[in-house]
Amino acid sequence: MASSTKYIFITGGVTSSLGKGIIAASLGKLLQARGFKVTIQKFDPYLNIDPGTLNPYEHGECYVTDDGAETDLDLGHYERFLNITTSQDNNITTGRIYNNVITRERKGEFLGKTVQVIPHITDEIKSNFYKLGEEGKYDVVITEIGGCVGDIESLPFIEAVRQAKWDLGPNRFLVIHLTLIPYLKAAKELKTKPTQHSVKQLLEAGIQPDILVCRTEYHLPSDVKKKLALFCNVQLNNVIEAMDADSIYDVPLLMKKEKLDERVMTKLKLTSKENTDLENWKDFLGKLKNPTQEVKIGLVGKYVSLPDSYKSIIESFTHAGASIECEVDLRLISSEEINADNIASKLKDLDGILVAPGFGERGFEGKIETVKYARENNIPFLGICLGMQVAVIEYARNVLHLNDANSTEMDSETKNPVIGLMEDQKNIDQMGGTMRLGSYACELKKGSKSFQAYGKSKIQERHRHRYEFNNKYLEVLEENGMIATGKNPETGLVEIVEIKNHPWFVGVQFHPEYKSTVLTPQPLFVKFIQAAVDNKIK
């Protein structure tokens, strides 16, 4: 174990969805701004090997890393805040832990020992805690423990954190506990009892939190902070207030004001190499909060009732919009509710339309109608993954008059499979981790809209799909005005399609939203928003 890396563990209590990921990312950003090399990892207590097979309604979007890992959406926050790339090692689930241990047991690696939660499962968890730190690349590894203290499935993780304290020693180990201070309107009081109970559960598991981060809708008066410090065994200045913020991007500055980074550095005996450099961050926030123009963009998909299903896309609009000082009024529209009769009324006041990724045929015909509307009415259009495939199918049906054109995902018997399975996907019977995943190269046609966006001819973008453009239809589509402007240089697979004689019509097979960050907004989103602005002025 590299002797210098420091480890911070973030646990949560009282309720889930308090924002452990945002606090982890904000703390990471503050430490990074002081010159430290930081990475963040997420340990999820569910039994799925990864979130790849989870319904977006269950868990929000599935985020994909460069190395092709299907991970928790919190890794998206880590990358967007810290401008770093994460990997498979940054997201571990209970399923992965047990799978690793059981595989080793089947191989006989435990020499006939009885395999138990302690020490075998907890040892496996700890080895994953330390894995990134042992590479010697990082000064600080922040580990977010998913779920809530007291959840039965979190117990092995909490026990592993307790053991880690003794492995690491006092100056390399820190626990931050994120908790809720509810306000009871009837009593007009902030209540500390849920937090006391939550910390008590941590103490029963053998862990004393070093810092309390208290989520609250109202400022915490000093007497509430004193009470929390007294009952939770925490120093008074380590009780940190985390007020609700207008934007998640305000949180690093709020945490700096509360001196979270200083408290952490004191406890871990970290000496800062430089003053906190957050000028770029402040510039971004300034532009975000003071836009000079506005556009209305429709995001058409089938998971719109849970916006977290499209988290990276929504954040990409935030980054790209701020970069050109444009407020994006994003309207989430269910593709299931769109048909030929009502489409004009549903989409009439939009300046741009994005058709979102997804799987399966629910809401598919609504997406076809949406693309047709954007194409025929010259509305700037961006199609992502399935959105690009829908654009190809719509064009084949309505311009080439191949009325039964389809994807074999939607109709396995279609006579005109303009979208189909790659050969290496045809015999797959397992769903998890078997798609085209991770970062692949793409070569762009000079002069194309996508080339103008990126400003270079070779790009790398991340994928998450099973079906591909069928090259048998490439020639006839190009003859009729739909051009393949981006291709994979090795396989010749079409990655980007564009339409001539349209203000801005781009469909991409990859997921550009996964690589958008605060400091490097995704070029396609920037150009798409700009096209929507320009088209609106016309």
Side-chain angles (χ1 to χ4, degrees):
M1 200 189 299
S3 62
S4 57
T5 307
K6 315 274 187 176
Y7 293 85
I8 298 169
F9 295 91
I10 298 184
T11 59
V14 186
T15 163
S16 58
S17 303
L18 282 182
K20 290 193 295 293
I22 304 296
I23 292 294
S26 298
L27 174 58
K29 181 80 222 165
L30 293 177
L31 293 173
Q32 190 187 55
R34 287 177 174 274
F36 297 109
K37 293 190 181 69
V38 183
T39 192
I40 313 179
Q41 53 190 359
K42 171 90 186 271
F43 280 67
D44 270 312
Y46 50 76
L47 283 170
N48 304 62
I49 300 281
D50 60 42
T53 56
L54 284 173
N55 184 325
Y57 284 130
E58 288 267 336
H59 207 70
E61 77 170 1
C62 177
Y63 187 78
V64 177
T65 56
D66 272 351
D67 64 349
E70 293 177 286
T71 69
D72 185 81
L73 61 79
D74 274 339
L75 269 73
H77 291 311
Y78 307 160
E79 292 201 0
R80 287 189 281 271
F81 274 60
L82 271 63
N83 223 38
I84 58 170
T85 54
T86 54
S87 71
Q88 182 161 351
D89 292 335
N90 293 72
N91 189 200
I92 311 289
T93 66
T94 295
R96 276 256 302 277
I97 297 289
Y98 274 84
N99 197 35
N100 293 352
V101 171
I102 290 165
T103 303
R104 286 172 58 206
E105 183 272 331
R106 290 289 84 188
K107 287 180 181 170
E109 288 185 24
F110 294 112
L111 305 172
K113 286 259 193 311
T114 305
V115 180
Q116 295 175 289
V117 173
I118 302 171
H120 303 102
I121 296 296
T122 49
D123 282 354
E124 180 68 19
I125 293 169
K126 285 193 295 178
S127 78
N128 282 282
F129 283 167
Y130 306 141
K131 195 171 186 180
L132 289 167
E134 284 166 350
E135 293 172 9
K137 288 193 215 161
Y138 303 107
D139 302 310
V140 180
V141 176
I142 300 173
T143 301
E144 177 192 344
I145 306 291
C148 261
V149 172
D151 292 350
I152 197 162
E153 60 261 41
S154 299
L155 287 172
F157 289 118
I158 298 296
E159 169 58 20
V161 173
R162 184 193 71 77
Q163 293 178 22
K165 177 176 183 175
W166 303 107
D167 294 349
L168 295 165
N171 299 331
R172 294 179 58 207
F173 173 91
L174 174 81
V175 174
I176 295 172
H177 189 54
L178 183 65
T179 177
L180 178 69
I181 310 292
Y183 179 77
L184 292 189
K185 279 207 171 113
K188 294 190 171 51
E189 269 189 302
L190 286 160
K191 288 296 182 186
T192 63
K193 193 63 76 181
T195 296
Q196 292 177 45
H197 279 295
S198 176
V199 172
K200 189 165 166 246
Q201 282 193 297
L202 258 186
L203 289 166
E204 282 174 10
I207 296 173
Q208 168 63 58
D210 300 288
I211 294 172
L212 281 185
V213 175
C214 304
R215 292 282 285 110
T216 172
E217 293 174 21
Y218 299 91
H219 281 294
L220 298 181
S222 60
D223 61 325
V224 170
K225 283 191 171 184
K226 280 178 187 164
K227 190 174 178 184
L228 285 164
L230 181 65
F231 282 103
C232 298
N233 266 355
V234 175
Q235 283 182 347
L236 181 58
N237 63 5
N238 285 346
V239 178
I240 304 281
E241 173 186 283
M243 285 272 289
D244 289 359
D246 294 336
S247 154
I248 56 172
Y249 301 109
D250 286 321
V251 178
L253 299 181
L254 293 173
M255 289 300 100
K256 179 159 181 55
K257 201 171 162 193
E258 282 287 302
K259 303 191 171 159
L260 177 62
D261 53 336
E262 289 179 35
R263 304 287 175 247
V264 165
M265 287 168 60
T266 303
K267 171 74 175 69
L268 292 176
K269 294 197 165 36
L270 279 166
T271 44
S272 179
K273 301 174 186 183
E274 55 202 71
N275 288 330
T276 319
D277 174 20
L278 289 167
E279 289 315 305
N280 291 347
W281 197 268
K282 287 174 183 167
D283 287 348
F284 159 76
L285 275 173
K287 288 178 179 175
L288 181 67
K289 292 181 177 186
N290 301 288
T292 56
Q293 50 202 0
E294 183 185 355
V295 288
K296 289 189 187 74
I297 288 179
L299 187 162
V300 179
K302 66 177 182 181
Y303 303 120
V304 293
S305 60
L306 183 73
D308 269 4
S309 304
Y310 302 114
K311 193 69 184 165
S312 292
I313 293 175
I314 292 167
E315 297 308 323
S316 297
F317 277 119
T318 304
H319 309 151
S323 75
I324 54 172
E325 296 179 40
C326 178
E327 183 176 345
V328 178
D329 177 3
L330 195 60
R331 309 282 174 89
L332 271 60
I333 300 161
S334 170
S335 56
E336 289 180 84
E337 292 170 14
I338 290 176
N339 56 49
D341 298 329
N342 68 12
I343 188 156
S345 64
K346 284 208 175 272
L347 307 184
K348 66 177 186 296
D349 59 345
L350 297 176
D351 305 310
I353 293 170
L354 181 143
V355 172
F359 294 92
E361 59 187 312
R362 188 164 58 82
F364 182 70
E365 292 300 324
K367 288 184 176 179
I368 297 269
E369 290 294 339
T370 301
V371 174
K372 182 173 185 242
Y373 182 84
R375 180 176 60 78
E376 292 181 345
N377 291 283
N378 286 330
I379 299 168
F381 168 82
L382 177 59
I384 296 178
C385 200
L386 182 65
M388 172 265 204
Q389 297 176 359
V390 170
V392 172
I393 294 163
E394 188 279 328
Y395 207 81
R397 285 184 189 177
N398 297 322
V399 179
L400 306 186
H401 304 297
L402 303 173
N403 296 335
D404 62 344
N406 215 329
S407 162
T408 53
E409 180 183 8
M410 311 307 164
D411 176 8
S412 56
E413 304 300 316
T414 176
K415 296 281 190 297
N416 283 296
V418 290
I419 305 292
L421 275 178
M422 293 188 301
E423 284 304 314
D424 63 356
Q425 291 283 344
K426 284 186 177 168
N427 299 319
I428 283 172
D429 59 358
Q430 285 202 329
M431 295 299 283
T434 54
M435 293 181 276
R436 182 141 81 99
L437 288 163
S439 186
Y440 287 85
C442 176
E443 268 181 15
L444 307 178
K445 259 193 184 156
K446 291 203 165 124
S448 65
K449 295 271 197 298
S450 37
F451 177 81
Q452 287 163 9
Y454 284 98
K456 55 185 178 184
S457 55
K458 280 198 174 168
I459 58 167
Q460 287 273 342
E461 290 286 4
R462 297 178 195 175
H463 290 250
R464 183 179 184 244
H465 59 99
R466 187 167 274 119
Y467 294 82
E468 300 276 359
F469 181 96
N470 186 342
N471 277 342
K472 288 176 188 164
Y473 291 86
L474 182 55
E475 198 175 322
V476 65
L477 278 161
E478 294 212 310
E479 283 167 4
N480 286 276
M482 179 172 264
I483 313 298
T485 58
K487 286 184 182 174
N488 182 300
E490 287 170 31
T491 60
L493 288 167
V494 172
E495 300 277 8
I496 308 176
V497 294
E498 298 181 20
I499 294 178
K500 291 179 171 179
N501 310 321
H502 188 284
W504 208 88
F505 189 106
V506 178
V508 295
Q509 181 60 82
F510 47 79
H511 285 262
E513 71 273 19
Y514 288 148
K515 287 179 83 167
S516 181
T517 74
V518 168
L519 300 183
T520 55
Q522 215 290 330
L524 288 173
F525 278 86
V526 177
K527 288 294 184 204
F528 174 44
I529 295 168
Q530 189 61 58
V533 171
D534 297 344
N535 208 49
K536 181 183 179 180
I537 294 164
K538 284 179 195 171

